[in-house]
Amino acid sequence: MACPFLKEGRARYCHAAPVQKLILDGPGAADGGRCASAQYAQCELVTKNGVQQDCCPHLEEIRVQYCGVSPVMKLVPFSDSQLSSCTSNTYRYCDSYLLLARPHATAAPAHLLYTPNHFWLDAEESGMCHIGIDGFLADVAGNVDGITFVTAHGTHCPALALTVHGVEWPMSFPNPLMIQKVNSRVRSDPTRLTADPYGAGWLFEGWELPGRTRAGLVSGPQAAAWQAEERGRLSDEIHETHAPGCDGGSPVRGVAQLLSRQHLVCLFQHFFSNRGWTVEA
Ligand code: SF4
C-alpha cells in the first residue's frame, strides 16, 4: 500500500540539455513555452538543419511521483526506486507522514508482534521489518536520556542500550534480523522513543529471516492479555518495593524516574532483560 500523500503526475524535460530538469505538467504549470511551440528552432541546443515541427523533438514527457506534503517538491520518474518507501507500508515510518497523519498518536497498531522483553515487530508482506519498544516500556521509563545502538548493520539480534534515570539498560530483540539501518533521529532526540514508541520512535529497519525473525512472538488478543498481565505484575512490584501494605492504584507514567538505582536495575531485570514469557504464550 502506498502513502496517502504520494502524488502522481506527468513532467517534461529536455533530453538535449546538459542538466535534465523535470517540470511538472498540470493546472497552473508552465505550458512548455518555447520548447512546446515552433519557437524551439531558436534554441541553441537544436540543430539548425532539422525538419521544422510543432514542438521540439528533444522535449520528453514522462510519468513522475512526488510527495504532496514535502516543502520541497522533488519529482521522481516512475521507473526510479527512490520513492520505494513511499510506495510500500514503510511510509508509516516517514517523518512527514507521521507529522500529518498521527500527530498525537501513541496507540499500538493492531498487527504488531511482541517479544517477552517489550519490543514490537512490524513485519510487512515484502519482508521489510521495523522494530521498536512497546508502550509499556515507554510508560515505565517516561523519559530516556540516551540511546546507543550496539548493532547497526548485518544479520544479528538487534541490540541497543537505553539510559534511563542514569542507569544503562542493555536490551536485545531475541531473534535475528538482517539490519539495514537504525533510526539515527532517536539517537539525537531520544524523546521520540517515549513520545511515539510505535511511530517516530522506531529503532531498527531490516529484512525478515523467514522462520526466525518472528519465532515465538505474540500478537492480537494473546498480546493484549499479556500486556494486561504485565501491568498487573508491575503494579505488584512497585507496591512491594515502595508502598508495602498499599493495595491500590497503578504506577504513574515515568515510574522509573522515581526509583533508586538498585530498584531500577531490578525492574529492568524483571521486565526488559532477555527472558521467556511470564504467562503462557
Ligand atoms: S515522503 Fe513521506 S509523506 Fe511524502 S509521500 Fe513519501 S512516505 Fe508519504
Side-chain angles (χ1 to χ4, degrees), residues 12 23-26 28-37 59:
R12 284 175 295 206
I23 299 176
L24 191 67
D25 264 344
D31 61 3
R34 183 172 70 173
C35 314
S37 74
L59 187 62

Side-chain angles (χ1 to χ4, degrees), residues 105-124:
T106 50
H111 63 275
L112 299 183
L113 298 149
Y114 295 88
T115 70
N117 61 339
H118 293 275
F119 282 103
W120 54 258
L121 170 74
D122 181 359
E124 298 175 22

Side-chain angles (χ1 to χ4, degrees), residues 74-215:
K74 185 175 174 203
L75 303 174
V76 177
F78 234 73
S79 53
D80 205 310
S81 63
Q82 281 185 55
L83 291 180
S84 58
S85 61
C86 312
T87 55
S88 71
N89 285 335
T90 300
Y91 74 77
R92 292 195 296 252
Y93 302 99
C94 165
D95 273 356
S96 302
Y97 168 79
L98 288 165
L99 202 64
L100 284 157
R102 38 178 278 138
H104 307 295
T106 50
H111 63 275
L112 299 183
L113 298 149
Y114 295 88
T115 70
N117 61 339
H118 293 275
F119 282 103
W120 54 258
L121 170 74
D122 181 359
E124 298 175 22
E125 268 180 30
S126 64
M128 177 54 72
C129 294
H130 286 81
I131 286 172
I133 60 162
D134 70 6
F136 176 86
L137 200 168
D139 278 354
V140 170
N143 186 46
V144 170
D145 306 322
I147 298 170
T148 306
F149 288 101
V150 179
T151 52
H153 282 288
T155 301
H156 304 285
C157 293
L160 78 167
L162 306 181
T163 306
V164 178
H165 196 43
V167 174
E168 198 163 86
W169 286 359
M171 300 186 61
S172 62
F173 186 84
N175 298 333
L177 176 80
M178 197 186 296
I179 303 167
Q180 296 295 300
K181 67 178 182 184
V182 298
N183 184 357
S184 54
R185 295 198 175 182
V186 290
R187 193 162 32 195
S188 52
D189 179 12
T191 58
R192 295 165 71 106
L193 194 62
T194 46
D196 188 8
Y198 299 108
W202 67 271
L203 293 167
F204 296 93
E205 179 181 290
W207 294 102
E208 178 174 0
L209 302 179
R212 297 176 68 193
T213 302
R214 58 174 91 188

Side-chain angles (χ1 to χ4, degrees), residues 60-72:
E60 294 286 347
E61 192 178 78
I62 55 168
R63 289 174 72 200
V64 290
Q65 292 178 309
Y66 58 98
C67 173
V69 294
S70 170
V72 181

Side-chain angles (χ1 to χ4, degrees), residues 50-62:
V51 180
Q52 182 71 31
Q53 297 180 23
D54 290 342
C55 76
C56 181
H58 296 310
L59 187 62
E60 294 286 347
E61 192 178 78
I62 55 168

Side-chain angles (χ1 to χ4, degrees), residues 254-269:
V255 67
Q257 308 293 326
L258 308 173
L259 301 180
S260 67
R261 182 180 181 83
Q262 184 195 352
H263 283 141
L264 212 43
V265 170
C266 289
L267 188 75
F268 167 73
Q269 283 170 349

